[in-house]
Amino acid sequence: MPNEQKINTMTVDELETVLDWAADEGWNPGQADAEAFHAADPQGFFMTRIDGSPVAAISVINHDAENAFLGLYISRPEWRGKGVGLQTWKHALGHAGPRSVGLDGVPAQEQNYRMSGFVRTGSSLRFVGRWPSCSNAAIRPVAADNTSSLIALDARANGFARPRFLTAWLSHVPLRRDSRVLAKEGEIHGFATWRACREGTKIGPVIAPDTASAIDLIADIAAVRPEGPLIIDVPEANRSLRRELESAGFEVPFVTARMYRGAIPKQHVSLQAIATMELG
């Protein structure tokens, strides 16, 4: 009897399972990622089952009417090379419709992504290390009425708005995720979100007007999260922050190819570090 194959949208619990797969691959997801990811686009997470067993997954998150982001593209090891992942990929891309789609992909798959119309525009570099902690009087927790301002800062930095994702991402999860705001003379100039991961603490996004402000946010989070390494995903074009992290002894364990199919969003220099390699 032939295998029965179905592709369905994921529940939050199923997404938790896929994040466990991601952890097995060394992607080091956050401890409270699933609900915030899912809130960004509940119809944008796809799981393929064969005879009822989950074998592959992917996400294509529609952030707004013109922009989507692809991530969490995983097949179980025993099903690789059998076409299951490609079928899942094609199904999920249909969810984006006419939108531009971005992704951060491993270089080994870059040629395959090109075959689907993606063009490389740069890289995202993962920096891992420690920064001297330093609290800053200009940096504080996010207030309840800050959300719209932070969504606007994020939209300017990335070149498009993603209000559903940011609303969820900025929500405080005790000991697992929080955000810090840089404010001077009553005006918000930047922010950064930290989240506890399977190993260490990831910081992202980091939105700031300049490198010095980005470092202030990172140093402040280092004071809040002194245990374990800090992990920061930096766009290749941000040479200034890269130099600062390299000088502090941060290492780069891997690099992904940033690629787009369709129009390329115009990023602003205030994008110091991306939020996640899964959702952009």
Side-chain angles (χ1 to χ4, degrees):
M1 179 180 295
N3 293 324
E4 181 185 33
Q5 180 173 328
K6 290 184 178 180
I7 302 176
N8 297 109
T9 54
M10 282 189 244
T11 65
V12 174
D13 287 344
E14 288 170 333
L15 179 52
E16 290 277 16
T17 296
V18 173
L19 290 171
D20 287 339
W21 296 357
D24 293 342
E25 298 291 328
W27 296 0
N28 193 24
Q31 295 178 12
D33 282 354
E35 289 192 2
F37 280 12
H38 200 264
D41 182 1
Q43 302 303 310
F45 295 86
F46 302 91
M47 175 178 281
T48 295
R49 292 178 178 271
I50 293 182
D51 294 335
S53 297
V55 299
I58 194 171
S59 61
V60 175
I61 303 308
N62 292 340
H63 284 302
D64 66 9
E66 297 179 349
N67 297 275
F69 205 87
L70 182 153
L72 286 174
Y73 182 39
I74 311 176
S75 292
R76 302 303 287 154
E78 65 272 22
W79 285 96
R80 292 171 187 170
K82 299 181 180 180
V84 175
L86 181 59
Q87 291 178 43
T88 310
W89 165 281
K90 290 179 178 178
H91 178 91
L93 274 176
H95 177 65
R99 293 173 178 81
S100 168
V101 183
L103 63 80
D104 274 308
V106 294
Q109 293 295 324
E110 188 174 337
Q111 182 57 38
N112 290 332
Y113 301 148
R114 284 200 189 103
M115 293 173 64
S116 292
F118 286 83
V119 176
R120 181 172 182 154
T121 61
S123 301
S124 298
L125 293 79
R126 172 153 294 174
F127 283 84
V128 180
R130 295 178 183 271
W131 191 272
S133 63
C134 182
S135 300
N136 189 316
I139 299 175
R140 56 166 174 77
V142 174
D145 60 352
N146 292 158
T147 302
S148 60
S149 296
L150 301 186
I151 289 172
L153 285 175
D154 181 82
R156 181 187 186 212
N158 284 283
F160 61 91
R162 43 186 189 172
R164 293 187 306 271
F165 173 53
L166 259 292
T167 299
W169 201 238
L170 294 169
S171 63
H172 173 64
V173 182
L175 303 178
R176 293 189 173 190
R177 189 179 63 245
D178 202 5
S179 298
R180 308 285 288 171
V181 170
L182 174 65
K184 298 178 181 178
E185 299 179 355
E187 182 179 352
I188 296 176
H189 292 269
F191 73 97
T193 298
W194 65 261
R195 72 198 206 268
C197 293
R198 310 293 174 97
E199 298 179 13
T201 298
K202 287 183 181 177
I203 303 176
V206 179
I207 310 296
D210 49 51
T211 304
S213 297
I215 292 299
D216 285 344
L217 284 161
I218 292 168
D220 180 84
I221 290 174
V224 175
R225 299 288 297 175
E227 68 285 356
L230 302 178
I231 303 153
I232 308 169
D233 297 332
V234 181
E236 178 184 33
N238 191 350
R239 294 183 177 85
S240 180
L241 182 56
R242 286 168 51 195
R243 284 195 295 268
E244 292 289 340
L245 295 173
E246 289 164 358
S247 296
F250 277 67
E251 297 181 349
V252 180
F254 70 87
V255 176
T256 61
R258 173 57 68 96
M259 306 181 78
Y260 287 93
R261 189 185 74 173
I264 302 168
K266 187 175 181 180
Q267 295 179 343
H268 188 263
V269 293
S270 58
L271 180 61
Q272 302 289 340
I274 66 173
T276 82
M277 289 186 175
E278 294 82 15
L279 274 72

